[in-house]
Amino acid sequence: MEQTLVLLKPDCMERRLAGRVITRIEDKGLIIVALKLMRVTPDLARRHYAEHVGKDFYPGLETFITSGPLVAMVVEGPEAIAVIRKMAGATNGRNAAPGTIRGDFSSSRQMNLVHASDSPESAEGEIGIFFAPEEILPHTPTIFPWLRAADE
Ligand code: CMP
């Protein structure tokens, strides 16, 4: 079982696409175990995007990610990190396959609607940046036996 951080970025909120993205996550059978609406500060942006600070696109990325409220979520499921990355599609919406979130809704490299952790190590670090342990509420929906076999 894995947990991953998913952000519905300010463009997703401005374009009123949050519900459609959340529906895809629910439809897939993944479990949302934490969720909040928040504004990313420049300090939080620098911690979350530490590997990009200093790159030529970072100032624009920081301006974008701090420009309005976003939804932060922790999503749980077997291989949740890879599953959500596949659902998000390639970073640049213009290259993302149809059927993916970015492939269906984005034509941009920066305004690509969602962020999803890319490895177990980044998921653990990113979840810790966005959520306190008590904000994460693992639970088993009653439909759970119909989402996957007991040994999956
Ligand atoms: P994300 O998955 O959140 O991870 C880093 C983000 O930086 C990425 O999505 C894009 O929004 C943005 N990004 C990555 N590469 C570039 C680039 N070359 N120019 C502008 N933005 C980029």
Side-chain angles (χ1 to χ4, degrees):
M1 197 58 68
E2 285 180 349
Q3 291 184 342
T4 185
L5 181 82
V6 178
L7 302 178
L8 309 184
K9 298 182 184 180
D11 55 333
C12 189
M13 305 305 293
E14 280 291 328
R15 293 179 55 196
R16 302 298 190 259
L17 291 171
R20 292 162 82 176
V21 174
I22 290 171
T23 294
R24 286 180 179 222
I25 292 169
E26 292 181 322
D27 286 349
K28 186 68 178 169
L30 297 165
I31 314 294
I32 296 169
V33 295
L35 184 150
K36 62 184 169 188
L37 182 70
M38 60 182 291
R39 186 88 181 243
V40 171
T41 62
D43 177 62
L44 180 57
R46 281 191 292 276
R47 283 194 284 146
H48 174 62
Y49 283 134
E51 66 186 291
H52 298 305
V53 174
K55 294 183 182 168
D56 56 356
F57 66 82
Y58 182 74
L61 177 59
E62 184 181 295
T63 299
F64 163 58
I65 204 73
T66 60
S67 65
L70 57 66
V71 166
M73 290 184 278
V74 180
V75 175
E76 188 179 88
E79 299 176 58
I81 296 165
V83 169
I84 291 270
R85 292 280 295 186
K86 275 186 223 152
M87 290 171 68
T91 299
N92 185 331
R94 295 189 289 276
N95 300 330
T100 64
I101 295 163
R102 293 165 175 161
D104 288 350
F105 298 120
S106 167
S107 297
S108 168
R109 186 171 53 182
Q110 177 176 270
M111 295 181 187
N112 59 2
L113 301 167
V114 293
H115 169 83
S117 307
D118 65 5
S119 67
E121 297 70 33
S122 15
E124 189 181 353
E126 292 175 359
I127 290 169
I129 288 173
F130 279 84
F131 288 95
E134 63 271 20
E135 292 179 300
I136 302 172
L137 305 172
H139 59 283
T140 306
T142 52
I143 197 177
F144 196 79
W146 299 102
L147 296 178
R148 61 189 75 105
D151 61 350
E152 282 187 278

